[in-house]
Amino acid sequence: MSRTRRARRTWGALASAAAVMLTVTACAALPVEPAALPDDFIPEPSASPGDGTGALSPDGFTAAQRMTVRVRNVGCGFIATGTGFALDSHTLVTNRHVVEDAKRITVTTYDGRSIAATAATTTTVADIAIVTTEESLGTAHARRAQEDPVEGDVITVVGYPNGGRLTSTAGVVLGPTTDPKGVAVGTVLASSASVEPGSSGSPVLDEDGRVVGVIYAKNYSNQSFIVPISTLNTLLSEESLFVPEASCAPNQYQATP
């Protein structure tokens, strides 16, 4: 695993500064804590994950782009968008708040295919949801890291900000902090990667193209928050922590195990 140059100085405890208002990246603003975080990291330019020789598919997309999908939640009286990424041909990860109160969930692949979800399960341990599909998502799947990134590591976020085009943005891990929403078990990570509404559920990648976390929120200082890969790996190994997500119109969309 490659390592990037560490940040030039060690920052103090993340919770020591004034509280900020947190904006959930696909939802409404919430009054939350955590402390204001340093935002003056300037990472050195680096290759996007998977940009090495042979990483591009014949159509010019990287593996990271091909595994990333747009998630569309048509609810009862609202439409929300987010991002997700494929674990295998029929399973993807996104955020719980992206699929909440859905009447119908569809995902769109990098090449424009629209695929209907057949089930969605969520957990209260973290802002994570698992969505399944009958139609194949494709052959590009996430390679999950086994260790969380550390302060100063350069990361790349791939997603669909504002429900628009597939984009990539770079940033630096600022360090661990408590969940600003106050619901996650354990710590989450803060980063300088700039994200927007619609980026929720985006994979966070290290320089080797491995998933090291999942974007789920941002604050008004444009710092983003990440469910670390250690949490995701634990959740995926404990299926009992997930429950079917209730639909706002059960006769039209039924989330089943």
Side-chain angles (χ1 to χ4, degrees):
M1 172 180 177
S2 64
R3 289 291 180 185
T4 61
R5 188 178 64 184
R6 294 291 186 260
R8 294 177 180 175
R9 55 195 177 97
T10 302
W11 298 97
L14 293 173
S16 61
V20 298
M21 294 289 290
L22 178 80
T23 302
V24 177
T25 57
C27 300
L30 295 175
V32 287
E33 297 192 340
L37 296 165
D39 59 2
D40 57 350
F41 281 94
I42 305 177
E44 292 183 341
S46 62
S48 296
D51 279 355
T53 303
L56 293 177
S57 63
D59 56 7
F61 288 88
T62 66
Q65 292 170 326
R66 286 184 283 121
M67 76 176 186
T68 305
V69 298
R70 182 192 291 112
V71 180
R72 189 169 186 258
N73 175 354
V74 179
C76 296
F78 70 92
I79 297 176
T81 62
T83 300
F85 59 94
L87 288 177
D88 57 43
S89 297
H90 300 276
T91 311
L92 64 94
V93 173
T94 186
N95 288 149
R96 181 183 64 245
H97 74 263
V98 170
V99 300
E100 283 179 330
D101 300 321
K103 178 170 64 175
R104 183 173 66 256
I105 297 172
T106 58
V107 300
T108 306
T109 61
Y110 76 100
D111 54 358
R113 291 186 300 123
S114 182
I115 299 173
T118 57
T121 59
T122 60
T123 178
T124 58
V125 175
D127 195 346
I128 292 291
I130 303 298
V131 176
T132 58
T133 64
E134 184 173 349
E135 184 180 345
S136 174
L137 295 166
T139 58
H141 311 144
R143 292 189 298 122
R144 287 179 281 142
Q146 296 304 307
E147 296 181 356
D148 295 338
V150 298
E151 181 181 335
D153 281 355
V154 173
I155 54 171
T156 300
V157 177
V158 182
Y160 292 88
N162 296 309
R165 62 187 293 270
L166 180 62
T167 62
S168 299
T169 183
V172 171
V173 174
L174 303 178
T177 186
T178 56
D179 176 21
K181 294 170 63 180
V183 296
V185 174
T187 60
V188 298
L189 300 174
S191 94
S192 64
S194 179
V195 298
E196 300 294 338
S199 298
S200 290
S202 294
V204 179
L205 306 160
D206 65 15
E207 290 190 299
D208 293 324
R210 293 173 297 192
V211 175
V212 292
V214 185
I215 290 291
Y216 76 101
K218 65 175 287 186
N219 64 17
Y220 291 138
S221 297
N222 283 325
Q223 292 148 354
S224 50
F225 295 88
I226 301 166
V227 177
I229 191 61
S230 59
T231 298
L232 179 61
N233 286 340
T234 298
L235 288 171
L236 292 175
S237 67
E238 297 288 343
E239 294 184 2
S240 62
L241 294 174
F242 287 91
V243 298
E245 174 64 22
S247 169
C248 68
N251 293 332
Q252 299 182 60
Y253 173 82
Q254 183 64 47
T256 56

